Each structure stands twice: as C-alpha cells, then as structure tokens.
Amino acid sequence: MVTNDLFLKQVKVKEFADSMKVGSARKLVKVPNENEDDIYTVVGVTAINEGYTEYDESAYFVMTDRHKVYLVAKSIGRRFKILEEDMDLLEGATNER
C-alpha cells in the first residue's frame, strides 16, 4: 500500500530509478526523464535492493542498501519506478481521464 496518501495522485517525474547489475553487484541507477511534461499516476510502492552476490558452496545475495521507490504509470501497461525525491506532486490535479 502506498503511504503518505500518494496512491492515485498525479505527479511529474524528473528521473526514473532502476536496478543494474555490475559484475556480481546490483546498484541503483537513475535515468533522466526525457518528457518531463508527461503526467504519471502513483500506483504502488516497492523497493530496490543494492548488494552483491557471494559465492561459497552456493550463491547468496548480500544486501548493502534498500531504497523505497514508487511505481508510477502513464496509462494501462508499463509501470516505472521513481524515488520520492524525483517526483513533483501536482496540486489540484484530478484522477479523471
């Protein structure tokens, strides 16, 4: 459940967040939004974990950091992840389409 009453609120996005594998590590990366005027709707919340894989008798993931990210969508279909600092909440925006 989305906290802080952001669920179904409309936002503009500065940068998208994603997880990228670099060697045996996973890092948070940000990708600039080329269409900053597009309006997205907050549809959920999840986390991006950072860390690395240790190889012993088996492989296991060692988490070094965890980032709370919001799931946003422009329409039905693809969802994107963003950090709270990369969203601008639209005041007075309606959820009607």
Side-chain angles (χ1 to χ4, degrees):
M1 185 93 185
V2 177
T3 59
N4 300 331
D5 297 325
L6 290 176
F7 187 63
L8 296 180
K9 296 291 184 185
Q10 293 182 328
V11 297
K12 288 193 176 183
V13 176
K14 297 174 197 166
E15 294 181 302
F16 299 107
D18 205 356
S19 176
M20 177 181 280
K21 190 169 183 177
V22 180
S24 65
R26 287 224 163 256
K27 300 281 185 191
L28 174 81
V29 294
K30 289 179 156 186
V31 179
N33 181 6
E34 295 178 5
N35 300 314
E36 288 191 27
D37 291 332
D38 287 350
I39 297 173
Y40 295 83
T41 302
V42 178
V43 295
V45 66
T46 189
I48 292 178
N49 297 327
E50 287 187 307
Y52 57 92
T53 303
E54 281 283 333
Y55 298 97
D56 197 358
E57 293 179 8
S58 62
Y60 58 94
F61 185 73
V62 178
M63 186 169 54
T64 58
D65 203 358
R66 182 179 179 100
H67 304 276
K68 178 180 176 181
V69 292
Y70 292 89
L71 298 173
V72 296
K74 191 165 49 170
S75 63
I76 294 177
R78 185 149 186 225
R79 294 172 301 191
F80 302 93
K81 297 172 185 168
I82 60 172
L83 295 169
E84 188 168 8
E85 64 209 37
D86 293 325
M87 76 167 79
D88 290 325
L89 184 62
L90 298 177
E91 295 297 327
T94 65
N95 293 328
E96 297 176 14
R97 300 258 169 184

